[in-house]
Amino acid sequence: MHELILGGQRSGKSRCAEGRAQAWLAADPERSALLIATAQAGDDEMRARIARHRLDRAARLPAMATFEEPVALAQALQAHSRATRLIVVDCLTLWLTNLAMPAHGEPLDDAGLAKARDAVLDALRGVPGPVVLVSNEIGLGVAPLGPATRRFVDELGRLHQAVAEVCSRVTLLVAGIEVPVKGARR
């Protein structure tokens, strides 16, 4: 069973995903949980933010391991999924940023983005264990200025729709409150 957790910045998405991992681990001592982190530290503020997230997560959920993969998400899902391991991907927004608006190198063109998206969808369909995916819902605001930003918002919307179709549950976080969008919590 896969779940997509959407919400704005500081809406509680990551904490909600960690809660899913905590419940998964508590249900059976043979289970494990792995966070696939997609952030890249491109500047001092981001390095500090990542370090703070690592410390906070380790304090809240010490049993969850972390694997950092900013680009090859489909391959990471395939390599690390097990029937007894829940994977948390945090987050799809940064993963797409790394592909569509990289700090270094050329962005993927539309065909490259579609190929990367399809690879993640294929991985989700084929992995043996559950996956919880976190992403920012950024398409609710003002239309962004500039073609690159509009393209990104469009691509993220396409990604969310495709991932939501594969997931049995979709949850929207608003001010720390879970709003079920698809599927019911058991």
Side-chain angles (χ1 to χ4, degrees):
M1 175 186 277
H2 303 323
E3 180 177 8
L4 174 61
I5 299 175
L6 298 168
Q9 285 184 228
R10 296 287 176 223
S11 63
K13 303 176 304 291
S14 295
R15 181 96 26 122
C16 179
E18 290 171 9
R20 301 292 194 262
Q22 195 165 37
W24 170 263
L25 291 167
D28 184 341
E30 299 299 315
R31 290 179 172 181
S32 65
L34 175 71
L35 171 79
I36 297 178
T38 62
Q40 293 188 68
D43 56 47
D44 289 341
E45 187 274 336
M46 192 61 170
R47 274 187 281 287
R49 182 180 288 252
I50 291 170
R52 187 177 61 252
H53 280 286
R54 283 181 186 142
L55 288 173
D56 291 348
R57 205 171 32 249
R60 286 191 302 269
L61 196 54
M64 184 164 68
T66 300
F67 179 77
E68 296 184 9
E69 180 46 65
V71 175
L73 180 56
Q75 295 87 337
L77 287 167
Q78 292 166 335
H80 295 284
S81 181
R82 310 280 182 275
T84 57
R85 178 181 292 150
L86 177 127
I87 293 179
V88 174
V89 175
D90 199 354
C91 78
L92 290 177
T93 312
L94 290 174
W95 172 73
L96 184 63
T97 300
N98 297 335
L99 300 177
M101 303 175 89
H104 305 287
E106 292 297 313
L108 292 181
D109 61 11
D110 291 347
L113 289 176
K115 183 177 178 182
R117 180 181 61 237
D118 290 347
V120 167
L121 296 171
D122 288 344
L124 287 171
R125 288 183 192 102
V127 295
V131 180
V132 175
L133 303 113
V134 174
S135 196
N136 292 322
E137 182 52 76
I138 64 173
L140 299 172
V142 177
L145 299 176
T149 309
R150 285 190 296 273
R151 175 181 182 244
F152 180 82
V153 172
D154 289 347
E155 287 298 330
L156 188 60
R158 287 184 193 99
L159 177 63
H160 287 167
Q161 289 182 49
V163 170
E165 188 175 313
V166 173
C167 290
S168 55
R169 189 165 57 218
V170 177
T171 303
L172 178 66
L173 263 284
V174 180
I177 299 168
E178 294 182 35
V179 181
V181 175
K182 177 183 177 183
R185 285 233 349 113
R186 293 188 221 182

